[in-house]
Amino acid sequence: MPLQKKKNKSKEPSRFFKTPKGMHDILPSDQPYWDRIDRTARELADFYNFGRIETPILEFADLFHKTVGEETDIVQKEMYVLKTKGGDILALRPEGTAPVARAYLEHSLGRVSQPQKLFYQGPMFRHENPQAGRYRQFSQIGFEIIGGSNDPIYDTQIILVFHRLLESLKIKNANLKINSIGCRVCRPLYKRQLQAYYKNHEKNLCPDCVWRLKINPLRLLDCKRETCEKIKEKTPNVLDKLCSMCSTHFKTVLEYLDELQVPYTLDNQLVRGLDYYSRTVFEIFAEGPGRELGALPGGGRYDYLMELLGGHLTPAVGGACGIERLIAVMKAQDIKLGAKSSRRVFVAHAGEMAKKKCLKLVEDLRGAGIATSEGLARESLTAQLKIADREGVPIALILGQREIYEERVIIRDLRTGLQETVPLHRIVEEIKRRWRDTQ
Ligand code: HAM
C-alpha cells in the first residue's frame, strides 16, 4: 500500500540536525536586509549622537528578576537560565535595557557625561511559543538615554529615532501608539481603581487575569482574550488619573511630537509587558500587511530602574525594535532594497583562454574598487549571464578569443542589450565614467 508507506515515511525523524525551535539561520538571501538595517541604525545612532555599547549575552539571572519584574511573562516562563560549574545562575539576556543599566552603574558612566545616549544591537532570547514575529532567538536594536533630567525632550528623541528608522527603511503606515502609566505617586491610586473595577467582573475573567488582578493589575489591560477585551472597554482611563507632574510631562511629549510632525494615536490601554516602566510608554506598529507580527519598536521611560539595581534615582527612557520583525514587514510591504547591484559589474568569458584572462580582470577591477561578480566556473556564456541576471547586475564585461587577440573587452548593458567594445586598459576608466554619468 503506497499510501501507508508514505505516511510512515513522514513520521521518520529527520536524518539531519535542525535549528532549535524558534531559532533560525540567516541565509545569504536575507543578509542584504540585515546589512541595510544595520547600516541605517548605525547612521541614525551617529547622527543623533548615541554611543554604541555591547554587553555580554549572559548576565546574572537576578538582574532580570529585579528589573523586568518577578511577575512578568519573561521572568516567570521565558528565561533561559543555566547554572555554571562555579555555581553562578546566569540567564541568556531576554532584553537589553537591564544589561545597559547594569553597565551604566558598573562603569559609572553617569560621571563621564549626562545624559548617556546609548545604542546597541544584538541577539536576545525568550522561551516563547514561536509564531509569526515571535521567536526564541531574535535581535534587537535599542536606543537608551540615561541620566541628566527627566525632560520630555528625551522621550521625544527616543520616539523620533525609531520613527526615523522606520521611515529610512521605507516602512509604510507606521502607527505610533502612546500612553502614560504615571509615576510612584499616581500609579498606586490608579491600580486600586482598576482592581475595584475588575473585582466586579472577576467571574468573567480568564484564569491569567484572575491572577493578574491580585498580583499585577496593570497587566489586566494587556489581555487579548475575547471575554477580557469586552471588560477592558469600560476600564477607568489612566490618563484621567495622572498626577499633575505626569500629566504635564505627557502633554509636553505630545506637543514635541506635534512640533516634529510625528503622528501618534493615544492608547490609554497600552501598558507594556515589562515592569520597569513609568510615565511614557509607546509602541509602533505597521498597519496593513505585517500588522499581525506585533509591535516593531516598543519602549518607554524607566526612571526607577537604577534604584532597583542599587543606584541613585536616575531618569531614563529608551526603546528597542526587533530586527526580524522589521525584515518580515519589509517583505510583507514588498520593499525593494535595490541600489546594491546597480554599482556592480559582471565578468563573463567565452572559451578557456578567455577564462584565464577574466580571472586576472576580476582582480584588477577589485583592486580599482569596482564591485565585481562572476560565474567563471560555468562554461557557457548563457549560463554565466543568467547568474548576472539573477543578481541584478546591470553591466557585463565579456571576453572571448577575439577580444583577447585585440586586447579589447565587450561592455554589454544587460538591461538594453546594447554593447560596445573598449580597449582593455581603459575598462576601469570607462566603468567609472558610466557611473558618473548615471549619478
Ligand atoms: P519588548 O517590547 O519586550 O521591550 O521588545 C521590544 C521589541 O523587540 C518588540 O517590539 C519586538 O519588535 C521585539 N521582540 C520582542 N520579543 C520578540 C520575539 N519573541 N521575537 C521577535 N521579536 C521580538 C524590550 O525588550 C525593552 N527592553 C525595550 C526598551 C528599551 N524599553 C526601554 N528601553
Side-chain angles (χ1 to χ4, degrees):
M1 287 190 297
L3 201 68
Q4 186 65 39
K5 253 189 179 168
K6 205 171 176 186
K7 209 173 162 190
N8 283 343
K9 201 174 170 193
S10 71
K11 284 191 176 167
E12 273 176 23
S14 164
R15 285 189 298 128
F16 304 112
F17 284 111
K18 294 191 167 169
T19 52
K21 193 172 169 190
M23 302 189 178
H24 301 280
D25 298 314
I26 305 168
L27 300 177
S29 55
D30 265 355
Q31 294 296 347
Y33 289 97
W34 286 81
D35 289 347
R36 168 63 69 86
I37 292 167
D38 178 67
R39 214 171 43 242
T40 308
R42 281 166 190 264
E43 279 167 14
L44 285 169
D46 199 34
F47 185 81
Y48 290 106
N49 209 16
F50 284 79
R52 182 155 181 156
I53 183 164
E54 285 181 33
T55 61
I57 285 172
L58 284 167
E59 295 276 355
F60 284 103
D62 266 355
L63 173 69
F64 303 106
H65 284 257
K66 281 218 156 84
T67 54
V68 171
E70 293 287 358
E71 319 304 340
T72 57
D73 286 351
I74 294 181
V75 167
Q76 290 257 316
K77 359 182 202 185
E78 295 171 0
M79 284 215 293
Y80 286 85
V81 178
L82 59 99
K83 188 170 175 181
T84 65
K85 285 184 181 156
D88 290 334
I89 310 289
L90 304 183
L92 284 175
R93 62 182 184 193
E95 60 103 48
T97 308
V100 168
R102 193 255 320 125
Y104 177 92
L105 290 175
E106 187 172 339
H107 305 286
S108 305
L109 293 181
R111 288 209 206 124
V112 179
S113 66
Q114 294 264 1
Q116 283 284 304
K117 294 174 86 181
L118 301 167
F119 153 68
Y120 55 90
Q121 201 169 311
M124 310 289 158
F125 302 83
R126 295 183 194 174
H127 195 267
E128 300 209 59
N129 253 347
Q131 49 188 284
R134 202 165 283 283
Y135 312 112
R136 290 183 175 176
Q137 179 180 336
F138 58 96
S139 281
Q140 281 186 344
I141 291 169
F143 291 94
E144 316 281 355
I145 301 181
I146 307 179
S149 66
N150 65 4
D151 196 310
I153 204 100
Y154 295 134
D155 308 45
T156 314
Q157 285 176 345
I158 285 291
I159 294 171
L160 180 68
V161 77
F162 284 110
H163 175 79
R164 294 278 179 250
L165 175 70
L166 302 194
E167 194 179 64
S168 306
L169 295 174
K170 304 202 165 41
I171 290 176
K172 296 179 280 291
N173 307 324
N175 182 5
L176 161 64
K177 293 188 174 187
I178 188 165
N179 192 21
S180 174
I181 55 170
C183 65
R184 270 179 188 162
V185 177
C186 52
R187 200 179 337 164
L189 245 74
Y190 177 66
K191 275 191 186 169
R192 282 203 289 279
Q193 289 187 345
L194 206 58
Q195 268 170 324
Y197 168 80
Y198 270 92
K199 266 257 179 270
N200 294 329
H201 300 276
E202 193 167 355
K203 58 181 183 310
N204 297 322
L205 291 175
C206 73
D208 280 351
C209 280
V210 172
W211 182 81
R212 285 176 186 140
L213 179 56
K214 289 194 188 77
I215 308 293
N216 197 348
L218 221 53
R219 295 293 312 285
L220 286 160
L221 299 176
D222 227 10
C223 188
K224 303 282 179 293
R225 303 235 176 117
E226 207 177 317
T227 47
C228 300
E229 284 272 13
K230 279 218 177 79
I231 300 170
K232 222 164 41 172
E233 281 166 17
K234 298 215 172 89
T235 47
N237 183 348
V238 65
L239 294 177
D240 295 336
K241 314 289 170 191
L242 297 180
C243 63
S244 65
M245 300 270 275
C246 287
S247 185
T248 308
H249 182 97
F250 190 53
K251 277 188 196 137
T252 315
V253 174
L254 301 183
E255 276 168 26
Y256 288 156
L257 289 173
D258 289 336
E259 181 64 26
L260 291 164
Q261 297 181 329
V262 174
Y264 55 83
T265 314
L266 292 182
D267 180 350
N268 59 33
Q269 301 197 333
L270 180 68
V271 287
R272 314 250 320 124
L274 303 96
D275 277 356
Y276 50 60
Y277 292 112
S278 54
R279 292 193 167 168
T280 315
V281 286
F282 71 93
E283 288 180 349
I284 310 183
F285 294 81
E287 300 298 347
R291 175 66 177 79
E292 70 289 352
L293 297 163
L296 297 170
R301 182 160 276 287
Y302 50 97
D303 290 341
Y304 309 125
L305 192 147
M306 291 298 170
E307 265 189 345
L308 296 171
L309 294 177
H312 298 296
L313 189 65
T314 309
V317 57
C321 181
I323 298 184
E324 291 80 359
R325 285 192 193 177
L326 284 176
I327 295 175
V329 168
M330 288 169 81
K331 288 182 180 175
Q333 294 194 353
D334 204 17
I335 294 167
K336 300 268 182 291
L337 298 176
K340 184 203 159 192
S341 305
S342 67
R343 294 272 152 137
R344 193 169 252 284
V345 298
F346 190 90
V347 171
H349 69 90
E352 200 52 36
M353 275 263 284
K355 184 171 171 176
K356 215 178 193 176
K357 282 272 177 215
C358 281
L359 199 59
K360 174 77 170 49
L361 177 59
V362 168
E363 292 313 306
D364 290 347
L365 291 168
R366 283 197 181 125
I370 293 177
T372 309
S373 295
E374 44 79 20
L376 296 179
R378 302 286 166 93
E379 290 312 320
S380 100
L381 184 59
T382 318
Q384 293 173 64
L385 293 181
K386 262 193 192 151
I387 300 174
D389 188 45
R390 205 167 52 227
E391 290 187 9
V393 185
I395 292 178
L397 309 181
I398 305 169
L399 277 181
Q401 298 283 42
R402 181 167 168 189
E403 286 71 37
I404 294 174
Y405 176 70
E406 293 177 356
E407 298 206 343
R408 296 176 77 83
V409 57
I410 299 172
I411 304 185
R412 185 185 292 179
D413 184 323
L414 294 171
R415 289 163 304 196
T416 60
L418 294 176
Q419 62 180 47
E420 63 175 311
T421 60
V422 297
L424 199 52
H425 69 270
R426 277 195 37 227
I427 189 64
V428 169
E429 194 187 315
E430 176 61 22
I431 293 166
K432 290 192 170 165
R433 184 192 65 74
R434 284 179 178 226
W435 284 350
R436 262 199 313 276
D437 290 351
T438 55
Q439 254 175 5

